[in-house]
Structures are given as C-alpha cells and as structure tokens.
Amino acid sequence: MLAPKIGFISLGCPKALVDSELILTELRTNGYEIVPSYQDADMVVVNTCGFIDSAKKESLDTIGEALHENGKVIVTGCMGANATDITDIHPSVLDVSGPHAYAQVLGAVQEHLPYKAPYNPHLDLVPPQGIKLTPRHYAYLKISEGCNHRCSFCIIPSMRGDLVSRPANEVVAEAEGLVKSGVNELLVISQDTSAYGVDTKYRTTFHKGQPVRTKMIDLCHALGDIGGEQSPWVRLHYVYPYPHVDDIIPLMAEDKILPYLDIPFQHGSPKVLKAMKRPGAIHNTLNRIKTWREICPDITIRSTFIVGFPGETDDDFKQLLEFIDEAQLDRVGAFTYSPVEGAPANALEGHVPDELKEQRLAEFMGLQAKISTDKLSKKVGKTIDVIIDEVDGEGAVARSKADAPEIDGLVYINGETEHSVGDIISVTVHASDEHDLWANS
Ligand code: SF4
C-alpha cells in the first residue's frame, strides 16, 4: 500500500511552528508522506493560531479553504483549545485538538486514514533533527509550554495552561541533535523562558552522566557548551523580567550564549503595568538595564510594548516615552492594544479611542526610530560576526548577534558570494539606517 499523503498548514507564532515540526516528525516517523498541495493530499492538517481576532479569522478561513479544496480536515493548535469556536462554523472537520496535542493529531490521522508503515529498521525517512520548517541553519528549541502568569491582556494561560517544563536533558539532547544536523543557531523559546523549571522545582536531570538542573542558568551553560570550539549561537527569547535574569548576563559577557535578551517590558508607567498585572517597579528596571550594560557592554536588548492599554492617560503615555528614551533599547516592537476575546483587560475602564492609540503608536515608533538609527550608526567602522541567511550572485544577506531571524534587522554584504548559508563570518560595517547594516567581508 502506498503511503497516504498529508497536506499541512502551519499558522501562528514560532511556538506553533515548533508544534508543527513535532507533528510532522511524528507523521513521517509513522510512514505518512507530506505533500505541498490540497489536490495531492489525502487529508489536510491545519495548525491554527487563536491569539488575536485577526489570527482566529485567518484560521477559520484557512480551515474553510482546506474543506473546500480537499474535504478531509483535522484541526489542531491554539484555536482548537475551544473546539466549538471551530465546529460551530465548520462542523465537518474530522477532529479538533488544542496546542501541543501531537499524540491526538497522530491518533486522528490514523483513525481517518489508517496506515501501517512497512518495517524500517533505520527510520531513514526522518532526518536526525526531525522535520524543520525553519531554514536548516537555525532552529527553534521549545523548552516549556504554558505560563504561570496572568497578564490581563493575555489568554495564553487559559489556552495552554500553567507552565510545564521539558526535562533539561531532553532539551540538551535535542539541541545536540540539531547542531549535529547542521544547525548553527538555536532560538530558545517558551511562553516564559526565565521561569523554566519552576514547575519541576528545578529538578536535576542527567545528560551523558552529567547533572543538568531544569533551570534557565543551567540550561544556558549546557547549551553554551554544545559543539566545543564550533559552538552554535544560543539566543534567548521571551524572558520575563524576573530578578534572576541578572544571573545570565555574565554568560552573555563570556559569549557563552549570545548577548541578546528578548524581554517584554510592555509599558513604562507603573500604573498601567499594575493594570496589566506585570512587574511595575520601572525605576528598578532602568537600574537593572544599566547594570546589564556595565557587565556586558555589547548586550542587545529587545522588548515589546503595548500602546493604548485601557486606562492609559496622556501622563502614562509620557512615562512610556520617558522610559524608552532613558532605556535606549536596541530593538523594539510595539502594538496598539486590541481586545482579545476572553482577556480580563477587556473589562477595564477607560478604553483608549482607536485614533488616539494610532497617534500614540506613531509617536512612540518615531522616538524609537531615532534611538535605533543612532545606535546602529555607532556600529559603522566596527568588525562584527554575522550568520549568513541567503547568498545569491550579488552578495549575501546575514544577521548579526543583535538580530533574531524574522523580527530584527539584516546585514547586507555586497559581493560576498564565497560563503554558504549558515556560515558565521566576520565583516566590517560601512553603513547603517534605522533597521539594517551594510558591511564588507
Ligand atoms: S507572561 Fe506572556 S504568556 Fe504569560 S500571561 Fe503574560 S503575556 Fe501571557
């Protein structure tokens, strides 16, 4: 019997992408073939995103399209946490599961499209690193699921539950497998990277006979040791601003992990932060940023902010501008507040009119653009390491240690055609703008 063919659509954030990769790996391990079109597929799996209303709409539209084009559809992912949101609109889907339900997805596929793969002692259909949807030279490494916080604008805990950390030895073994298969950059992700292991009481695990605690600092040490001389870049994402984050800055100064901290501060007004149910001691945060830079002068701090949160006054917004002006963050993403169905913040008083939100966002981004332009101009003349993402006949596109894929800037190297994707090389910066750098090799 020929292997059944599965079409797979992955929507949403990098965390959903990791789920997709794990499901695809499971399907391939069980002999199913993955195909790129509705017409060639015997069944379609849609991994949905339910974070904001526009993502839900995209998920529902995609399911509708898959039903229309193929007819046999299994739905999984964040939006599947509330199955009726999907079945009310698309009652003919075959199965609905929530996020990280790898076994349920496989079970549903096997129920509706049974297949027993011929015995293959080498399982050589599955590459050692699993199926990657990201380019081969970088990979996302998911260390936990869920979150113990209850930020008032967020529904992730209600969709994904409380924090569940993967054992440290399992994470390190996966990272080693990725590096062996050619990955040069590991992007550590979770909902809350700095809480890693708190649910396990920082349980000690053993990797190759050595103890590794299920704790962020121990994991950073272990990941930083992978590969010896040729160690991969290790980049931390979604770090909640707990005090113990300070402990990993020396590892960044030693270059054991990348001097890059993606730490969402969300606002600069203690009152708004309180309403968000986030740490509100903003002066303390500014002092910590100063100390981090003293310990690790090359650190890149990336953060995200919400503008126009319910109750945000002109004065709160002014405090936000003062915060980013003083913090001089390297990379900043900002969004206007948009109500997410089921989020407690929707019930707060003082919703900010849309026009004012947009006005404030433009002012915020204008200030940050000046900060970013100024910071990047100081890199001109410096020699920096970059990882190459693309090469064509005219040159290469790369990223520096300060740039995470997809969200930060790029380094353009005209005429660099000798190296390959994934190579890490030194270049000298000769120009900059608000986001990107230009360099010579
Ligand atoms: S820490 Fe992040 S995932 Fe957790 S509740 Fe807050 S915003 Fe949501």
Side-chain angles (χ1 to χ4, degrees), residues 152-153 272 274-276 309-311 337 343-351:
S152 59
F153 53 82
V272 174
K274 194 165 172 231
M276 289 177 166
F309 190 76
Y337 173 78
N346 300 346
L348 293 174
E349 307 262 296
H351 279 255

Side-chain angles (χ1 to χ4, degrees), residues 147-151 153-157 191-192 240 266 278:
C147 181
N148 289 346
H149 296 285
R150 295 294 180 264
C151 303
F153 53 82
C154 180
I155 55 166
I156 284 175
Q191 307 297 341
D192 181 1
Y240 191 87
Q266 307 296 9
R278 305 268 311 177

